[in-house]
Amino acid sequence: MELALYFSMIIVSIVLITLVVLQARSLGMANRDTSSIYRTRRGLEKTMHQATIVLSVVFLMLALLTSLPIF
């Protein structure tokens, strides 16, 4: 059980890092339009943003669960 938690934590962290890097890269690409200060996220950008939030909560829960002295 403990090994499965560690593997899932590694997988979630790799996916989370990938999503953050992709968001930073797409933000730089979309910065060409200087006429608007705030842009609404749509489509894939919105999905990546929501997935980042969900995965960060999952990562936090896994980190708390693996730090418990149960195992």
Side-chain angles (χ1 to χ4, degrees):
M1 179 71 178
E2 185 179 4
L3 192 60
L5 284 173
Y6 289 140
F7 280 133
S8 61
M9 196 165 175
I10 290 171
I11 291 170
V12 168
S13 65
I14 289 171
V15 173
L16 191 59
I17 290 169
T18 305
L19 280 173
V20 169
V21 167
L22 285 175
Q23 281 183 5
R25 207 174 271 177
S26 68
L27 181 65
M29 299 287 190
N31 207 7
R32 292 180 185 170
D33 184 24
T34 58
S35 63
S36 65
I37 295 173
Y38 178 75
R39 231 173 31 97
T40 305
R41 291 185 167 111
R42 294 185 178 162
L44 182 62
E45 189 175 283
K46 183 178 180 181
T47 305
M48 285 190 338
H49 178 70
Q50 292 171 344
T52 304
I53 293 170
V54 170
L55 281 176
S56 63
V57 170
V58 169
F59 181 79
L60 177 67
M61 292 300 181
L62 283 173
L64 290 173
L65 189 62
T66 55
S67 68
L68 291 176
I70 298 172
F71 300 108

